[in-house]
Amino acid sequence: GIQTKCPLPTGTLRLSFSLPGSGLGVKALGKVAWTDKQGNAGIRFVQISARNKRDLQLWLEREYFTA
């Protein structure tokens, strides 16, 4: 998820971000899947390249699923 100080727009968003500690950048299109009162939001990717998807999957595995 992400955290914002301003409400996110509805519809499709252009996303561009770096994966911390990896030097890898990700570009994708996404839609807001959920929000809460604290400014947190979840984004559902609707278009992402195969390479960016693989980079993200490997980064998540290293960061959160490796003991």
Side-chain angles (χ1 to χ4, degrees), residues 13-28:
L13 306 170
R14 289 183 188 269
L15 307 165
S16 179
F17 58 93
S18 297
L19 299 172
S22 72
L24 297 171
V26 175
K27 291 184 179 180

Side-chain angles (χ1 to χ4, degrees), residues 1-54:
I2 62 171
Q3 188 171 46
T4 66
K5 294 183 180 187
C6 301
L8 291 170
T10 57
T12 302
L13 306 170
R14 289 183 188 269
L15 307 165
S16 179
F17 58 93
S18 297
L19 299 172
S22 72
L24 297 171
V26 175
K27 291 184 179 180
L29 295 178
K31 291 189 177 188
V32 177
W34 58 267
T35 61
D36 67 18
K37 293 179 182 179
Q38 289 77 39
N40 299 307
I43 304 296
R44 180 174 52 91
F45 296 115
V46 296
Q47 185 177 344
I48 186 169
S49 72
R51 180 178 179 178
N52 278 181
K53 182 177 179 179
R54 178 88 172 132

